[in-house]
Amino acid sequence: MELIDGKFLSNEIKLEIAAEVKELKEKEAKIPHLAAVLVGEDPASQSYVRSKVRSCEQVGFKSTLIREDSSITEEELLLIIEKLNKDDDIDGFIVQLPLPRHINDDKITLAIDPKKDVDGFHPMNFGRMAQGMPCFLPATPFGILQMLDRYNIEVEGKECVVLGRSNIVGTPISILLSRKARPGNATVQLCHSRTKDLPMHTRRADILISALGIPNFVKADMVKEGAVVIDVGINRIDDANAKRGYRLVGDVDFEAVAPKCSYITPVPGGVGLMTVTSLLKNTLMACKGEIYPD
Ligand code: L34
């Protein structure tokens, strides 16, 4: 069993990005600038956005954090997005999810200029992704592709099972892995809450990707010997003995499943960290106009 080390990979990618930023600075070209909008006080969102801002500093990007109270109205948030769309210095921006219940996520996503949509959530980017056109890939699936690629894990022709059909992970990664591309060319099955006899499906998987958000859901008897297991779940479990009062666990019962795997991602230290570096990669591409040349 080999661990797919998200910490190592994300540091490696950050070094590559930092080297590119250094070149941009030497050429006196524009420096990438990412803005993040954080609404409310959700502790997990605060920690993820902090990590995004810190990562910008590490690679030499400019960053802007816009913090708003959870009482902000949809109209006010749309005005902020309008301003970010028009601000020439901002190459890309994100609105961290989840948003308070009185705000319609779809309306917010649609308001973001696809050229600045470094989360890759806008239907324009999603549609381009589905058709294999240049686009901003959603950060978590992009991070998973990087993990498979950088560990030289063969995907072509493999049976791949994805658990969960969210717009930001399950659905896009299932499309990406079935595309005629590298990594890609897998035979993909997308399983969800209405799937019958789930273990029958998961046991066939050469590559199993879980993006459910249910702690320790994937048990050893659901996994084939030698499978590659990618755990996207980041679940906070109360733990009085832990320093922060909780600990993080994935969707996969790691202790029991890991010995059966050829490769497995840990939580923490796996896919989550790759989500952040993929956002940086998208922001760099936005700055260089690589996806949408003017
Ligand atoms: N708009 N909303 C928008 N874009 C995103 O890409 C996200 N996501 C998801 C939630 N909402 C979003 C994130 O940023 C999940 N996510 C995310 C980002 C970073 C990490 C996890 C999820 C991460 O850094 N995880 C670390 C440790 C986290 C901790 O200590 O709490 C890890 O090692 O997994």
Side-chain angles (χ1 to χ4, degrees):
M1 183 274 292
E2 191 176 345
L3 214 55
I4 302 180
D5 187 342
K7 198 163 183 180
F8 174 82
L9 281 187
S10 64
N11 284 331
E12 178 176 80
I13 293 170
K14 278 187 206 167
L15 288 175
E16 292 167 9
I17 297 173
E20 278 209 49
V21 174
K22 190 162 164 267
E23 271 178 40
L24 291 174
K25 282 189 178 152
E26 281 162 8
K27 284 194 290 192
E28 288 179 29
K30 185 173 182 321
I31 300 305
H33 186 176
L34 173 73
V37 182
L38 173 59
V39 178
E41 305 290 327
D42 179 70
S45 295
Q46 291 187 49
S47 121
Y48 302 156
V49 171
R50 259 200 313 272
S51 157
K52 291 173 182 181
V53 170
R54 200 176 341 112
S55 299
C56 282
E57 285 163 14
Q58 286 169 351
V59 299
F61 286 8
K62 285 213 272 179
S63 65
T64 298
L65 173 59
I66 300 170
R67 293 201 64 155
E68 295 294 335
D69 196 84
S70 58
S71 64
I72 189 172
T73 66
E74 195 173 85
E75 292 69 34
E76 286 166 335
L77 187 53
L78 288 168
L79 281 176
I80 291 172
I81 291 170
E82 205 41 56
K83 260 172 75 180
L84 291 169
N85 282 339
K86 287 194 186 126
D87 185 336
D88 284 337
D89 198 60
I90 305 263
D91 299 295
F93 66 95
I94 64 156
V95 179
Q96 188 71 16
L97 302 176
L99 289 166
R101 278 225 301 276
H102 64 275
I103 296 175
N104 180 333
D105 292 7
D106 290 350
K107 243 186 181 167
I108 300 305
T109 301
L110 283 167
I112 298 171
D113 181 344
K115 293 182 179 152
K116 295 193 177 190
D117 171 38
V118 284
D119 258 336
F121 291 173
H122 191 286
M124 166 83 102
N125 282 310
F126 194 99
R128 283 170 160 262
M129 175 203 69
Q131 299 196 14
M133 297 176 189
C135 65
F136 294 116
L137 293 178
T140 302
F142 191 7
I144 295 170
L145 294 184
Q146 290 284 320
M147 288 177 133
L148 294 169
D149 190 34
R150 289 177 186 240
Y151 273 78
N152 289 314
I153 294 169
E154 185 57 77
V155 175
E156 184 165 317
K158 295 291 162 66
E159 298 283 333
C160 177
V161 172
V162 177
L163 306 183
R165 53 183 158 183
S166 72
N167 286 339
I168 67 176
V169 187
T171 299
I173 194 66
S174 70
I175 293 170
L176 287 164
L177 290 178
S178 53
R179 263 186 0 185
K180 195 167 189 164
R182 285 196 80 89
N185 286 319
T187 305
V188 180
Q189 196 154 41
L190 182 53
C191 298
H192 45 73
S193 53
R194 309 294 167 92
T195 297
K196 289 197 177 124
D197 196 358
L198 191 73
M200 188 260 292
H201 295 289
T202 58
R203 275 198 288 267
R204 296 188 54 223
D206 300 311
I207 301 173
L208 179 62
I209 300 178
S210 185
L212 293 169
I214 307 175
N216 297 322
F217 179 85
V218 177
K219 305 290 186 201
D221 63 359
M222 295 166 69
V223 177
K224 180 161 108 178
E225 199 67 44
V228 175
V229 173
I230 310 284
D231 190 352
V232 186
I234 300 188
N235 309 291
R236 290 184 173 209
I237 303 271
D238 289 337
D239 182 350
N241 295 322
K243 219 181 353 178
R244 294 187 277 188
Y246 66 86
R247 65 195 157 86
L248 294 179
V249 300
D251 288 352
V252 177
D253 182 355
F254 186 88
E255 296 294 313
V257 170
K260 294 186 85 173
C261 299
S262 55
Y263 293 92
I264 187 167
T265 66
V267 177
V271 176
L273 302 176
M274 300 300 289
T275 297
V276 177
T277 41
S278 297
L279 176 66
L280 299 178
K281 275 177 95 77
N282 278 345
T283 305
L284 180 61
M285 285 192 271
C287 177
K288 297 201 290 186
E290 281 180 1
I291 307 292
Y292 297 102
D294 307 302

